[in-house]
Amino acid sequence: MHVGLLCVQEFAKDRPAVPTITSMLHSEIVDLPAPKKPALGFEMDSLQWSQTICSNDISFTVIGGR
């Protein structure tokens, strides 16, 4: 899930390259950077984002069309 969040970051420069993703998935890279806010269509302030990523709670998000 962590790698997936890294792959959907808003800016392409923040997303890992495919070889890096492969290394992450093979556990060759274990110190993963913290993901930034994803490029999805929902509003969440940075405090809520941090609490959601760092908690053990499960949250559900419904994304609707505009």
Side-chain angles (χ1 to χ4, degrees), residues 41-42 60-64:
F42 61 90
F60 295 94
T61 303
V62 177
I63 301 173

Side-chain angles (χ1 to χ4, degrees), residues 2-4 11 13 29 36 38 47-48 51 58 62:
H2 192 122
V3 175
F11 301 106
K13 66 178 179 62
I29 298 175
K36 297 177 183 175
L47 179 59
Q48 286 176 319
Q51 290 172 343
I58 296 174
V62 177

Side-chain angles (χ1 to χ4, degrees), residues 2 9 11-13 18 21 26 33 53-55 59:
H2 192 122
Q9 295 184 96
F11 301 106
K13 66 178 179 62
V18 173
I21 295 167
H26 286 127
I53 295 303
C54 298
S55 73
S59 63

